[in-house]
Amino acid sequence: MGVTIEPMGCGTLAAGLDMFEAGGAADRITIPVPSYLVRHPDGIAVIDTGMSTALSTPGSFLDLISLFFEVGLDADTLLAAQLQQRQVDPVDVDIAIVTHSHFDHSGGLDQLPNARVIIQAAELAAARDPELAAGSNLNSGDLDHGHDLVAVDGEHDVFGDGSVVCLPTPGHTPGHQSVRIRLDDAEVVVCGDCAYFERTLDGGPLPGAGHDLAEQARSIGRLRSLGAAGAQLIPGHDPAVFEALPARLG
């Protein structure tokens, strides 16, 4: 069996478009919160983990996030439930690749108790630095569940065969990374929040705020080069792109 990818919808977030694009209208948009199940002959990996279980029920954390977003999350859209719907026990997930430590990407790590977490060293250092974490809205607590944290510096070959490779794409956060997956007949890049939407990859506006928008633009250029070479680029939160993905790639 080769490598496969299964997109998982781990809830939604809704806010004005101007939360995601500089100069965007205040018109409300609902975006998916994706996670990706990667099956490899040598193990099971998940790319991003969705949101914390604390956001599926009333409480102080939901009150805080609700100041900025309307959260759509319930028992069926938590990461653990999405895995179980695909006949994967969360305890059997070997690797969790975190593109970055924002609440909607690293919040579900506690649902993967046995996973080894792969994160860029720059992202981990920023999450551990109170000033940088506050400036980039990094959720350091998501990384404090006792996991084996593997801090990588630059490109990282997850399984050692070139099929799943972490690619540094900083800018949105200090150590943001994307993930390239080589299937039997295609190459796919999970972009994370380096690019929220397909139009971001096509030169559309960046968010109004971020760690380093100039660096993010350079990272988008790298992703566009991969796309020009034939890779399928999956942006971080594009509703139309995510809806059009098949249940399994590969």
Side-chain angles (χ1 to χ4, degrees), residues 189-206:
V189 179
V190 174
C191 300
D193 284 1
C194 185
Y196 283 144
F197 307 118
E198 188 170 54
R199 60 181 174 268
T200 318
L201 292 163
D202 293 334
L206 295 177

Side-chain angles (χ1 to χ4, degrees), residues 89-208:
D89 192 319
V91 303
D92 293 331
V93 173
D94 303 293
I95 296 168
I97 303 170
V98 175
T99 62
H100 63 296
S101 52
H102 279 164
F103 77 95
D104 55 327
H105 293 261
S106 59
L109 276 173
D110 62 340
Q111 299 169 57
L112 306 176
N114 298 322
R116 187 169 75 254
V117 177
I118 298 177
I119 187 170
Q120 287 289 319
E123 187 76 0
L124 182 59
R128 298 288 192 233
D129 182 299
E131 184 175 347
L132 283 174
S136 294
N137 296 312
L138 306 182
N139 258 41
S140 61
D142 290 340
L143 306 173
D144 293 335
H145 298 292
H147 293 91
D148 177 14
L149 296 177
V150 180
V152 300
D153 188 9
E155 291 194 11
H156 176 72
D157 189 343
V158 175
F159 290 101
D161 61 0
S163 62
V164 181
V165 177
C166 299
L167 306 173
T169 48
H172 179 67
T173 63
H176 187 283
Q177 63 182 349
S178 303
V179 186
R180 186 190 71 218
I181 306 103
R182 287 183 173 153
L183 309 174
D184 286 342
D185 58 355
E187 183 170 285
V188 173
V189 179
V190 174
C191 300
D193 284 1
C194 185
Y196 283 144
F197 307 118
E198 188 170 54
R199 60 181 174 268
T200 318
L201 292 163
D202 293 334
L206 295 177

Side-chain angles (χ1 to χ4, degrees), residues 207-229:
H211 170 68
D212 187 328
L213 295 179
E215 189 172 45
Q216 183 174 353
R218 291 191 291 271
S219 292
I220 289 172
R222 181 182 187 189
L223 294 176
R224 291 182 65 180
S225 295
L226 293 172

Side-chain angles (χ1 to χ4, degrees), residues 215-249:
E215 189 172 45
Q216 183 174 353
R218 291 191 291 271
S219 292
I220 289 172
R222 181 182 187 189
L223 294 176
R224 291 182 65 180
S225 295
L226 293 172
Q232 177 182 354
L233 306 182
I234 303 178
H237 294 286
D238 192 308
V241 171
F242 188 73
E243 180 68 24
L245 290 174
R248 177 175 292 188
L249 296 87

